[in-house]
Amino acid sequence: ELKVEQNPLFLSMQEGKNYTIYCNYSTTSDRLYWYRQDPGKSLESLFVLLSNGAVKQEGRLMASLDTKARLSTLHITAAVHDLSATYFCAVDITGGTSYGKLTFGQGTILTVHP
Amino acid sequence: GAGVSQSPSNKVTEKGKDVELRCDPISGHTALYWYRQSLGQGLEFLIYFQGNSAPDKSGLPSDRFSAERTGGSVSTLTIQRTQQEDSAVYLCASSLSGTGIAKNIQYFGAGTRLSVL
């Protein structure tokens, strides 16, 4: 059974600081997604990582994938309050051949303080 | 509409009643997914539709849960004889299908919050 584990589950940061969220998974996969969820809102797609060594960046967020270590990271640079949300990683083990059955991590609740 | 639409946004029901939750996917998306988000279990896959058929129902927790999709578009998730443990947010997502980077990105609706009293 595929297990996806995120840590930390709760992250309280000061504005301007850097931090990393980790996502470990237990089964071979080369397709990993990061989503953001604001309270009471839908999940918003942030990044799709499709191969070993993939790195994607958008603004203050950068995601990477190491398929050999079965690890993805979401790095936050110089955090701002607007980044406060819950972040999920999700792994697809169907190989992306026809559909994406996602297994989600527990989510990391990020709070950025002034 | 531009995104995945779900209704109702909130549903309060009594234990033992049946409920229907609706999902209207992004136009042109042939793949549709239902997930459940609860405090104890996190986000769990329930069922996947390709067109009107459901090749993967492996996440449905019991035979009280069923889903259908008509016209390759709107989907309904039905929970019969609701129990308190069914209380959760039910999320629907849709995607283009097939191989390729963009085709498996799932776009989520805002969800239906179900409360069973």
Side-chain angles (χ1 to χ4, degrees):
Chain A
E1 178 190 346
L2 171 63
K3 291 189 188 303
V4 182
E5 295 186 347
Q6 289 180 235
N7 75 85
L9 300 184
F10 300 92
L11 179 53
S12 181
M13 296 177 64
Q14 271 192 307
E15 282 189 330
K17 299 291 188 182
N18 304 333
Y19 211 87
T20 300
I21 299 170
Y22 297 88
C23 174
N24 288 91
Y25 54 97
S26 61
T27 302
T28 300
S29 171
D30 61 1
R31 191 171 289 248
L32 188 139
Y33 301 80
W34 283 95
Y35 283 89
R36 167 183 172 145
Q37 186 178 37
D38 292 291
K41 303 290 187 184
S42 173
L43 276 78
E44 173 192 353
S45 176
L46 294 175
F47 300 109
V48 182
L49 301 168
L50 298 176
S51 61
N52 187 40
V55 177
K56 296 281 185 71
Q57 183 161 6
E58 181 73 33
R60 300 174 188 274
L61 300 178
M62 183 173 70
S64 66
L65 178 62
D66 181 342
T67 58
K68 293 180 182 177
R70 298 178 186 171
L71 171 68
S72 179
T73 61
L74 181 66
H75 187 72
I76 303 154
T77 302
V80 293
H81 179 71
D82 286 352
L83 291 179
S84 297
T86 301
Y87 293 84
F88 292 93
C89 63
V91 175
D92 171 8
I93 59 169
T94 59
T97 53
S98 60
Y99 74 105
K101 178 178 177 179
L102 299 180
T103 300
F104 283 85
Q106 310 97 308
T108 296
I109 300 175
L110 171 64
T111 305
V112 181
H113 299 284
Chain B
V4 177
S5 177
Q6 291 188 246
S7 61
S9 54
N10 283 284
K11 177 72 177 178
V12 180
T13 191
E14 293 179 350
K15 179 181 170 181
K17 301 282 190 184
D18 297 352
V19 295
E20 285 189 354
L21 312 179
R22 177 188 166 104
C23 172
D24 200 343
I26 292 172
S27 178
H29 281 192
T30 57
L32 185 147
Y33 309 78
W34 283 97
Y35 294 85
R36 179 168 72 173
Q37 186 173 26
S38 59
L39 280 175
Q41 302 298 322
L43 265 158
E44 306 170 279
F45 168 86
L46 297 178
I47 187 170
Y48 153 70
F49 284 92
Q50 178 58 42
N52 291 336
S53 64
D56 189 342
K57 307 179 184 180
S58 61
L60 293 178
S62 75
D63 58 7
R64 296 186 295 104
F65 288 72
S66 63
E68 65 174 13
R69 189 178 184 195
T70 55
S73 181
V74 172
S75 176
T76 303
L77 177 69
T78 301
I79 309 173
Q80 295 179 307
R81 306 181 302 281
T82 52
Q83 303 294 312
Q84 287 182 334
E85 61 262 28
D86 300 334
S87 296
V89 177
Y90 290 82
L91 293 166
C92 176
S94 70
S95 71
L96 296 170
S97 60
T99 58
I101 296 172
K103 292 190 175 181
N104 277 329
I105 295 175
Q106 296 181 29
Y107 297 87
F108 284 78
T112 294
R113 182 174 297 278
L114 175 66
S115 300
V116 181
L117 303 179

